[in-house]
């Protein structure tokens, strides 16, 4: 049951663009995990740049750097 939780700076994406993003991500997950489409879920949460450090870096990135399979090219 793969779940992908995307956090990003605000983007002006319409529903069609969000659907395309979710479909592309689901395709990759299905291919790499040998999952069914019905097993994959994708969330998208937009975080204001001024809130990124407190809401994302300090809680999900910085403390879990060793768990990340792709580390960011920046630090805070």
């Amino acid at each position: 049951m793969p779940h992908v939780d995307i956090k990003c700076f605000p983007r002006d994406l319409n529903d069609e663009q969000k659907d395309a993003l979710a479909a592309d991500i689901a395709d990759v997950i299905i291919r790499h995990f040998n999952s069914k489409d019905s097993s994959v879920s994708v969330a998208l949460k937009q975080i204001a740049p001024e809130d990124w450090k407190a809401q994302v870096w300090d809680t999900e990135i910085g403390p879990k750097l060793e768990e990340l399979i792709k580390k960011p090219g920046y630090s805070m």
Side-chain angles (χ1 to χ4, degrees):
M1 296 297 218
H3 173 73
V4 178
D5 188 10
I6 302 167
K7 292 178 179 67
C8 64
F9 285 175
R11 300 284 188 263
D12 188 20
L13 300 174
N14 62 37
D15 288 342
E16 184 177 305
Q17 291 169 314
K18 289 177 189 176
D19 289 345
L21 174 62
D24 288 349
I25 291 167
D27 286 345
V28 169
I29 295 298
I30 290 164
R31 186 173 74 243
H32 286 277
F33 284 88
N34 196 28
S35 297
K36 297 177 188 173
D37 184 65
S38 61
S39 299
V40 178
S41 55
V42 179
L44 177 65
K45 183 173 183 183
Q46 299 187 37
I47 309 289
E50 62 270 16
D51 296 328
W52 188 261
K53 183 177 183 311
Q55 290 186 23
V56 181
W57 180 269
D58 290 346
T59 60
E60 297 185 39
I61 298 175
K64 300 178 185 179
L65 278 173
E66 295 305 315
E67 297 174 27
L68 299 179
I69 61 174
K70 163 79 172 80
K71 293 175 179 38
Y74 67 94
S75 60
M76 299 189 113

